[in-house]
Amino acid sequence: MGDPLERLELEDAGGSSLKDDEVCMEIDPPFRESTATTEDWRKALAKVVPAVVVLRTTACRAFDTEAAGASYATGFVVDKRRGIILTNRHVVKSGPVVAEAMFVNREEVPVYPIYRDPVHDFGFFCYDPGVIQFLKYEEIPLAPEAASVGLEIRVVGNDSGEKVSILAGTLARLDRDAPHYKKDGYNDFNTFYMQAASGTKGGSSGSPVIDWLGRAVALNAGSKSSSASAFFLPLERVVRALKFLQNGRDSFVKKWEAVSILRGTLQVTFVHKGFDETRRLGLQSETEQRVRHASPQGETGMLVVESVVPGGPAHECLEPGDVLVCMNGEVITQFLKMETLLDDSVNQKIEIRIERGGTPLTVNLLVQDLHSITPNYFLEVSGAVIHPLSYQQARNFRFQCGLVYVAEPGYMLFRAGVPRHAIIKKLAGQEISLLEDLISVLCKLSRGARVPLEYVSYADRHRRKSVLVTVDRHEWYAPPQIYTRDDSTGLWTVKPAFQPDAGLLSSGINDLGGIRSDAVPLCTEASSVGHMHHDSRAELNEGVTSMETSYEHSSEGGHPRAESDVETKKHRVKEDFSSDGNAVADGSFLETDEGDLEDANTVENSVMRDLQGENVAAANSSLAERIIEPTLVMLEVHVPPSCMLDGVHSQHFFGTGVIIYHSQNMGLIAVDKNTVAISASDVMLSFAAFPIEIPGEVVFLHPVHNYALISYDPLALGAVGISLVRAAKLLPEPAIRRGDSVHLVGLSRSLQATSRKSIVTNPCAAVNISCADCPRYRATNMEVIELDTDFGSTFSGVLTDEHGRVRAIWGSFSTQLKFGCSSSEDHQFVRGIPIYTISQVLEQIICGAQGPPLLINCVKRPMPLVRILEVELYPTLLSKARSFGLSDDWVQALVKKDPIRRQVLRVKGCLAGSKAENLLEQGDMVLAINKEPVTCFRDVENACQELGKHENRDGKLNMTIFRQGREIDLLVETDIRDGSGTTRVINWCGCIVQDPYPAVRALGFLPEEGHGVYVARWCHGSPAHRYGLYALQWIVEVNGKQTPDLDAFLNVTKEVEHGEFVRVRTIHLNGKPKVLTLKQDLHYWPTWEVRFDPDSAIWRRNTIKALDYSSNL
């Protein structure tokens, strides 16, 4: 997970110089020496330590300023009878949170948030005191009045993950400015902080700062790493809030009534400036004299307006630089006095006197309820978290409170290029000012609809950006849901954002900017669903301010998360993608009357003339380029985070494909598997021949070769597009030879065809790609084509002859370069993939294969089955083979069979669980199959295909191998694989579980305990994250019951109830077993599966087990 601390940025005034207000001359209150003895401190700590708890918190969703994640911190009991624990706001979180408190004797109790202050860094958890049976402890009294400069203190907490840590220090100042943690995160303001050199670290957030009498005089909140300084929050406002809670309840009850704690605001940030600075701001000397006279002895400055939130009560009334003189006729120079007055005047007007550049002004402002601009609900749609803009972020970004704010973009918005912290302004042509506006537009959209969205970001606030949002066609996520905070239970209740029958259109919308949609309804179920996140915390630089919260991180450094942080061959969507120039069609060209047909013919003739003009302009291009250009397609592929299967290393890919079949009923495109890696993908196609963008569907992933087939609906191209787009002519024979001249033709990102003539240098180069840290598809048992020219590592396309006939695909291969033992980096290279294997599969699809049927464009078509030998082979030169003892007769026979390659195939390893696993051994030389010499991978493929043509055969190959100096004849059974890839995934407790896929089995190891289900990914903020059920391991047992496959796994986990602990036995890829315990949370993380339905060609979502929300509301 990276750095385990939540590190946030501290903005200095400039360079290494200190701010003026950080210059502290120790002349304020006199230094008072402590009279406490060592024995006094021992007695005080003996009382305090039992009341200090370790808090393990899990933020289940990103919300407001917080990202989803797991962390640990500190809290302490302030009311034993009522079960109230005090800690920091950034520990309680502003969004959904699940937490437990661990007492010093290792008794654990669940805790629930009952209050978090909207501004200041404190909040309260509650727990059931009756659960604690074996520990004697007393609550820690709060004594804010005891804080003074020079006071000797102890910070008692969970520092750096330790069980108990006690750090000593001395209060150095009481009037430090509130620390600034992050420009786009939580920051405290309108309060002083205390400062001491105690050197607290991660995990000590919420620790009590005690004196020698055992009283808490402050609350630990943050630190500055460069100077080992700690920052403490004063307790005056904490005491006030605690009294409200205590007055609202006499003792702990399971469901408390929510207590209203009045908090007022003007949406203004003040800072305390010294009188020297206020004079420079124009403060009159008479005013200064009057303020000094009315203020407590030792007052050194006044409050000055730093910022005003747009749209707030003080907007256009107060300005930065205004010096506050009086409120309601009372001189105000301290934050505490100002906040007390505001809290007592909610929904009332107050009179404020200021001086602006030496000019006295009086304004009357209405005090706003601070809780009314603090969001307590959010919309979850396609993994995105969207809610009204909070006061915290409105202050950070200088936007108006209540705007529609993207706390987490999820999948649908990320796919469109909408970043985190964006403000949605318009969707489908409708202005969006409230979250309810967004919901009302979403409820009218159908699955697959493409509509424009406009947003602004704080980094570029003066310009709106326009993107196209595609509503999920497949059921990657649950239908849109609303989560609402319930302060009586500490949970966030969930309900559907709108009813399934609330006017959803089945055939798209005609009035949303002219953009139509597919006919799949959006709402099909209403269940809670966990989601994943793809944000990473920034590295900590020396000298920054940090919140003292330690974040959970994986002990396995190579584990993939829900968000891949790895740079890949295909770049992520940029924020400024524009919808301009992207036309969307759904067959509307065909829904015309006779007049429309005439118009269509006119358009077609016009386009044809334009095309002819382009051809004239492109006279300098080669014949091959002109012929092949109408067959090329640019593919943009997105993988939903909820289904990142088979070790796929990114969510976003680009690549060039070629149309290999095009008719009125079906179109097929061939592309490399580094562009379309898995079948659980959303594919968009842009054609070089016609300016249109339509969706495609993955219909075939070859189990061995590096290519996939994508289908599209030709009718979606319209009458003009169908006539302009055409399929390439494939030329599988004769095979490419060394020295042949070929044309490499591909597409740029602007869909411009580019070609170059080249010479084949090696037509049969064996691919050798090592396994990645996270196993994913890698090309094996393949020979590729190498050229004499380096065209870079990202340019893909096709290799043609001079007449434009395709002889190979110029495709991309993914690999991983490793540096040392722990460092690696993803890379790619491009090579030619012979067209013969694609041609064979295409022929089976067109003529009718023997495999399972798949719905393609409303027609069920049987798909091919591929018989393969699940063995990884590699070539060895015959000169080397002779040294291993291979006889001269076999050397001559192999040379006679293939005088060019002069090689023999050797076994590198068998896939675990394959039928050849116990027959072939590493190092075996494959000499012949069915008495025919074998010299290359294609020979093995041809032998396997011959078995498929004869139904009376038993599927076994008669193989002659050379092992340890002797020849052996073996009957080796082959395996049959389809081209569907992984078609089922289960999300349990926030971990993505699937059957072991070929890249994992290629490691040659499966657990002995009846195999097991494989953990592919885990989600931030989930129980899997909280308890360490990370990826790259098999789950072999749950509560002592074996889980050899997904069905067995579901049967076992169905028996586990909400809030129940389970015992999970896992085995890592390295073979290391492990047992861990995990607490199931069905409220935020129900069990669900996504499975591909070949009858509808849709990925269907099914909730396996969730809470019955109707009985909990």
Side-chain angles (χ1 to χ4, degrees):
M1 283 186 57
D3 197 312
L5 306 182
E6 182 182 6
R7 306 277 179 140
L8 306 174
E9 181 180 353
L10 176 65
E11 296 179 348
D12 290 327
S16 60
S17 61
L18 294 173
K19 295 181 180 179
D20 294 340
D21 55 355
E22 286 193 291
V23 179
C24 181
M25 301 176 66
E26 301 289 349
I27 59 174
D28 288 342
F31 183 84
R32 183 180 66 186
E33 293 186 3
S34 174
T35 59
T37 64
T38 303
E39 182 64 19
D40 292 333
W41 279 112
R42 188 190 66 79
K43 292 179 179 179
L45 293 173
K47 290 194 305 180
V48 167
V49 168
V52 178
V53 297
V54 176
L55 293 171
R56 296 290 298 265
T57 62
T58 305
C60 304
R61 300 289 190 276
F63 186 82
D64 195 15
T65 60
E66 304 287 341
S71 60
Y72 55 88
T74 305
F76 59 98
V77 178
V78 293
D79 192 317
K80 179 181 178 181
R81 182 160 59 93
R82 297 175 177 83
I84 300 178
I85 294 174
L86 171 64
T87 186
N88 290 127
R89 178 192 187 272
H90 67 265
V91 177
V92 176
K93 311 293 184 187
S94 56
V97 64
V98 174
E100 298 88 26
M102 181 78 71
F103 284 79
V104 68
N105 67 336
R106 307 297 288 182
E107 286 191 81
E108 188 179 63
V109 57
V111 296
Y112 307 94
I114 55 176
Y115 180 74
R116 73 278 290 154
D117 194 83
V119 171
H120 300 313
D121 199 7
F122 74 90
F124 296 97
F125 283 113
C126 70
Y127 70 100
D128 184 359
V131 176
I132 306 301
Q133 302 178 8
F134 306 103
L135 178 67
K136 292 183 179 181
Y137 66 98
E138 298 295 331
E139 62 194 44
I140 298 177
L142 304 181
E145 70 283 353
S148 62
V149 172
L151 178 68
E152 189 177 354
I153 57 167
R154 299 291 187 272
V155 180
V156 183
N158 163 42
D159 192 73
S160 295
E162 298 295 333
K163 181 178 176 182
V164 176
S165 179
I166 301 172
L167 299 175
T170 302
L171 290 182
R173 56 185 300 190
L174 308 180
D175 58 353
R176 188 200 187 280
D177 284 343
H180 184 83
Y181 298 117
K182 202 173 183 182
K183 65 180 180 180
D184 57 2
Y186 170 73
N187 295 290
D188 204 345
F189 56 93
N190 286 353
T191 183
F192 285 126
Y193 265 64
M194 304 177 191
Q195 182 172 330
S198 64
T200 58
K201 297 180 181 178
S204 64
S205 277
S207 299
V209 181
I210 65 168
D211 63 3
W212 66 277
L213 295 175
R215 303 174 299 178
V217 299
L219 179 67
N220 184 44
S223 67
K224 188 174 183 180
S225 59
S226 61
S227 59
S229 296
F231 309 129
F232 309 138
L233 177 71
L235 295 179
E236 286 83 1
R237 308 309 290 168
V238 177
V239 170
R240 173 181 179 270
L242 180 60
K243 288 180 178 178
F244 272 97
L245 295 174
Q246 291 171 332
N247 292 337
R249 55 203 73 178
D250 294 330
S251 61
F252 175 82
V253 290
K254 192 168 185 180
K255 187 171 182 179
W256 295 357
E257 293 184 5
V259 176
S260 177
I261 300 176
L262 291 178
R263 294 284 277 114
T265 182
L266 299 174
Q267 295 193 35
V268 178
T269 302
F270 291 90
V271 291
H272 191 270
K273 297 288 188 181
F275 284 118
D276 57 335
E277 177 66 16
T278 57
R279 284 193 293 269
R280 291 194 290 269
L281 290 172
L283 182 67
Q284 298 178 5
S285 58
E286 296 82 0
T287 305
E288 179 182 344
Q289 184 177 1
R290 186 166 66 254
V291 169
R292 285 181 180 269
H293 180 74
S295 301
Q297 185 178 3
E299 180 59 72
T300 59
M302 300 174 66
L303 298 180
V304 177
V305 175
E306 182 183 53
S307 64
V308 180
V309 176
H315 182 51
E316 297 182 346
C317 296
L318 298 182
E319 299 177 358
D322 289 348
V323 181
L324 177 63
V325 180
C326 297
M327 281 187 173
N328 283 350
E330 188 175 359
V331 173
I332 301 288
T333 60
Q334 294 288 313
F335 291 113
L336 180 59
K337 194 173 181 180
M338 179 189 69
E339 288 221 324
T340 301
L341 191 150
L342 293 176
D343 292 345
D344 294 340
S345 306
V346 176
N347 296 325
Q348 301 176 20
K349 282 196 171 184
I350 60 172
E351 182 185 81
I352 299 179
R353 290 180 56 195
I354 60 172
E355 281 201 11
R356 180 179 299 166
T359 303
L361 296 173
T362 301
V363 294
N364 291 295
L365 301 177
L366 179 67
V367 179
Q368 189 175 15
D369 183 0
L370 187 52
H371 296 295
S372 69
I373 53 176
T374 303
N376 62 351
Y377 68 101
F378 66 87
L379 168 69
E380 186 175 54
V381 53
S382 188
V385 176
I386 307 171
H387 59 76
L389 185 66
S390 69
Y391 179 32
Q392 279 282 342
Q393 294 292 51
R395 173 181 172 270
N396 288 336
F397 303 154
R398 303 183 305 282
F399 286 125
Q400 181 178 341
C401 291
L403 298 177
V404 181
Y405 168 74
V406 179
E408 176 62 46
Y411 175 58
M412 183 175 71
L413 295 183
F414 167 79
R415 182 181 173 188
V418 179
R420 191 180 180 195
H421 306 311
I423 304 295
I424 297 176
K425 305 298 290 186
K426 185 182 288 188
L427 177 64
Q430 304 294 318
E431 290 290 339
I432 305 296
S433 57
L434 300 173
L435 187 59
E436 289 71 20
D437 299 336
L438 179 67
I439 295 174
S440 67
V441 175
L442 285 174
C443 74
K444 300 174 184 177
L445 300 179
S446 301
R447 289 193 176 274
R450 305 196 77 200
V451 294
L453 179 145
E454 294 183 9
Y455 72 92
V456 294
S457 63
Y458 73 93
D460 192 9
R461 58 187 299 108
H462 302 295
R463 290 186 298 179
R464 288 192 179 189
K465 297 181 181 179
S466 179
V467 296
L468 270 180
V469 171
T470 304
V471 179
D472 295 344
R473 179 174 180 269
H474 300 279
E475 299 173 6
W476 308 126
Y477 292 89
Q481 301 176 122
I482 294 288
Y483 283 80
T484 305
R485 191 179 72 217
D486 183 358
D487 287 325
S488 63
T489 62
L491 296 174
W492 290 61
T493 58
V494 60
K495 66 178 182 180
F498 41 82
Q499 296 301 320
D501 56 351
L504 287 179
L505 303 182
S506 61
S507 59
I509 296 178
N510 294 322
D511 59 348
L512 299 181
I515 295 179
R516 298 175 57 86
S517 63
D518 293 339
V520 184
L522 180 61
C523 272
T524 55
E525 61 172 313
S527 62
S528 173
V529 58
H531 61 275
M532 304 178 176
H533 308 277
H534 33 68
D535 63 282
S536 56
R537 294 184 176 86
E539 292 287 335
L540 174 69
N541 293 323
E542 195 66 21
V544 305
T545 304
S546 65
M547 289 181 176
E548 301 297 346
T549 306
S550 288
Y551 278 78
E552 296 286 352
H553 59 283
S554 166
S555 59
E556 318 288 349
H559 289 172
R561 298 172 295 177
E563 154 69 53
S564 174
D565 297 329
V566 184
E567 280 193 289
T568 63
K569 97 174 190 76
K570 323 291 181 182
H571 300 295
R572 297 186 180 277
V573 183
K574 296 183 180 178
E575 292 182 10
D576 58 352
F577 268 0
S578 171
S579 60
D580 295 339
N582 292 325
V584 178
D586 60 349
S588 58
F589 282 105
L590 304 181
E591 300 172 4
T592 58
D593 55 23
E594 293 181 1
D596 293 333
L597 287 175
E598 293 178 2
D599 294 338
N601 292 331
T602 302
V603 172
E604 181 175 356
N605 293 333
S606 175
V607 173
M608 288 296 187
R609 287 194 298 269
D610 292 341
L611 185 62
Q612 292 171 0
E614 291 177 4
N615 289 337
V616 172
N620 292 331
S621 61
S622 65
L623 174 63
E625 178 182 331
R626 294 196 299 272
I627 293 176
I628 207 67
E629 181 179 6
T631 72
L632 297 181
V633 182
M634 178 64 71
L635 292 88
E636 182 178 8
V637 183
H638 286 88
V639 180
S642 60
C643 294
M644 293 192 70
L645 310 174
D646 297 356
V648 60
H649 56 289
S650 179
Q651 288 181 239
H652 190 199
F653 300 90
F654 279 102
T656 301
V658 60
I659 300 172
I660 59 174
Y661 184 80
H662 179 73
S663 70
Q664 291 286 338
N665 300 321
M666 180 178 66
L668 290 177
I669 299 169
V671 67
D672 61 74
K673 288 175 67 173
N674 199 28
T675 300
V676 179
I678 61 175
S679 54
S681 305
D682 284 310
V683 183
M684 294 303 298
L685 310 174
S686 298
F687 294 79
F690 186 64
I692 194 170
E693 190 176 32
I694 64 173
E697 295 294 336
V698 183
V699 295
F700 187 83
L701 292 165
H702 198 281
V704 177
H705 290 291
N706 181 28
Y707 75 88
L709 298 184
I710 313 299
S711 72
Y712 64 89
D713 184 2
L715 297 180
L717 296 172
V720 179
I722 290 178
S723 63
L724 294 179
V725 172
R726 61 173 179 261
K729 185 174 182 180
L730 308 185
L731 187 64
E733 299 293 343
I736 293 181
R737 296 173 297 179
R738 182 179 179 182
D740 283 355
S741 176
V742 294
H743 292 264
L744 171 58
V745 187
L747 289 180
S748 67
R749 290 290 296 276
S750 59
L751 297 182
Q752 298 297 316
T754 303
S755 67
R756 183 175 299 180
K757 193 173 183 180
S758 187
I759 303 298
V760 175
T761 57
N762 189 353
C764 52
V767 175
N768 182 20
I769 301 175
S770 60
C771 184
D773 294 333
C774 175
R776 61 177 184 251
Y777 169 77
R778 59 189 179 92
T780 60
N781 297 352
M782 278 188 65
E783 290 184 340
V784 295
I785 301 165
E786 295 179 344
L787 303 179
D788 65 345
T789 307
D790 183 9
F791 297 100
S793 61
T794 59
F795 184 79
S796 56
V798 293
L799 297 181
T800 74
D801 64 6
E802 59 183 6
H803 301 294
R805 295 174 295 184
V806 177
R807 307 191 69 183
I809 289 179
W810 191 248
S812 176
F813 293 75
S814 175
T815 184
Q816 192 175 71
L817 300 182
K818 298 185 178 181
F819 309 98
C821 298
S822 59
S823 177
S824 60
E825 183 178 339
D826 283 328
H827 279 265
Q828 65 170 6
F829 61 91
V830 283
R831 295 292 187 272
I833 304 170
I835 203 67
Y836 74 86
T837 177
I838 299 176
S839 179
Q840 292 170 354
V841 171
L842 175 61
E843 182 179 357
Q844 294 182 57
I845 294 176
I846 297 174
C847 299
Q850 301 293 325
L854 175 66
L855 188 70
I856 303 178
N857 298 337
C858 300
V859 177
K860 283 192 174 182
R861 301 177 183 272
M863 300 303 291
L865 294 174
V866 181
R867 185 178 291 275
I868 59 175
L869 183 66
E870 287 198 322
V871 177
E872 185 174 352
L873 305 170
Y874 68 98
T876 296
L877 293 176
L878 289 177
S879 58
K880 294 285 186 182
R882 189 189 296 272
S883 300
F884 280 98
L886 186 63
S887 67
D888 290 340
D889 292 340
W890 272 112
V891 170
Q892 293 175 7
L894 294 175
V895 170
K896 182 179 179 180
K897 171 68 184 305
D898 193 339
I900 296 177
R901 290 182 176 85
R902 296 174 178 265
Q903 65 185 23
V904 64
L905 297 181
R906 301 191 70 182
V907 175
K908 189 174 184 179
C910 298
L911 272 68
S914 68
K915 295 176 181 178
E917 181 180 16
N918 298 321
L919 296 175
L920 297 178
E921 299 179 1
Q922 183 177 3
D924 286 350
M925 296 184 189
V926 180
L927 303 178
I929 296 179
N930 299 331
K931 304 304 181 180
E932 290 292 329
V934 171
T935 61
C936 64
F937 302 123
R938 189 171 181 179
D939 292 341
V940 180
E941 288 181 43
N942 292 337
C944 292
Q945 290 175 10
E946 285 297 320
L947 292 178
K949 296 178 181 178
H950 302 85
E951 297 181 359
N952 57 344
R953 292 197 179 183
D954 55 4
K956 294 181 179 180
L957 296 175
N958 183 7
M959 301 183 65
T960 303
I961 65 171
F962 183 77
R963 178 186 298 169
Q964 297 180 355
R966 59 194 183 96
E967 297 178 20
I968 303 176
D969 288 327
L970 295 175
L971 285 178
V972 181
E973 191 170 357
T974 55
D975 292 90
I976 298 178
R977 297 289 179 259
D978 59 26
S980 302
T982 300
T983 58
R984 187 185 184 189
V985 58
I986 293 173
N987 189 301
W988 177 70
C989 291
C991 65
I992 295 180
V993 179
Q994 66 171 102
D995 284 321
Y997 51 98
V1000 170
R1001 295 171 50 232
L1003 300 177
F1005 168 74
L1006 286 174
E1008 296 179 359
E1009 294 85 347
H1011 303 333
V1013 294
Y1014 183 76
V1015 181
R1017 300 274 169 173
W1018 53 270
C1019 309
H1020 284 284
S1022 67
H1025 183 189
R1026 159 69 175 81
Y1027 295 97
L1029 183 56
Y1030 298 125
L1032 305 189
Q1033 55 188 334
W1034 288 273
I1035 298 176
V1036 296
E1037 287 182 8
V1038 176
N1039 284 341
K1041 299 180 180 179
Q1042 289 190 353
T1043 57
D1045 53 42
L1046 292 178
D1047 290 328
F1049 177 78
L1050 281 182
N1051 291 334
V1052 174
T1053 54
K1054 282 180 183 177
E1055 301 173 358
V1056 182
E1057 299 301 327
H1058 172 68
E1060 184 179 335
F1061 273 94
V1062 295
R1063 186 177 67 258
V1064 180
R1065 185 168 186 267
T1066 66
I1067 296 181
H1068 195 267
L1069 282 181
N1070 58 18
K1072 182 179 180 181
K1074 181 180 179 181
V1075 176
L1076 56 88
T1077 57
L1078 180 146
K1079 185 178 182 181
Q1080 180 162 258
D1081 178 8
L1082 293 176
H1083 183 81
Y1084 297 113
W1085 299 94
T1087 303
W1088 51 262
E1089 72 171 352
V1090 174
R1091 183 185 295 206
F1092 182 73
D1093 178 13
D1095 293 332
S1096 62
I1098 294 291
W1099 287 80
R1100 300 290 185 187
R1101 181 189 183 86
N1102 178 36
T1103 299
I1104 305 298
K1105 187 165 186 176
L1107 291 181
D1108 184 4
Y1109 300 109
S1110 61
S1111 62
N1112 293 339
L1113 295 178

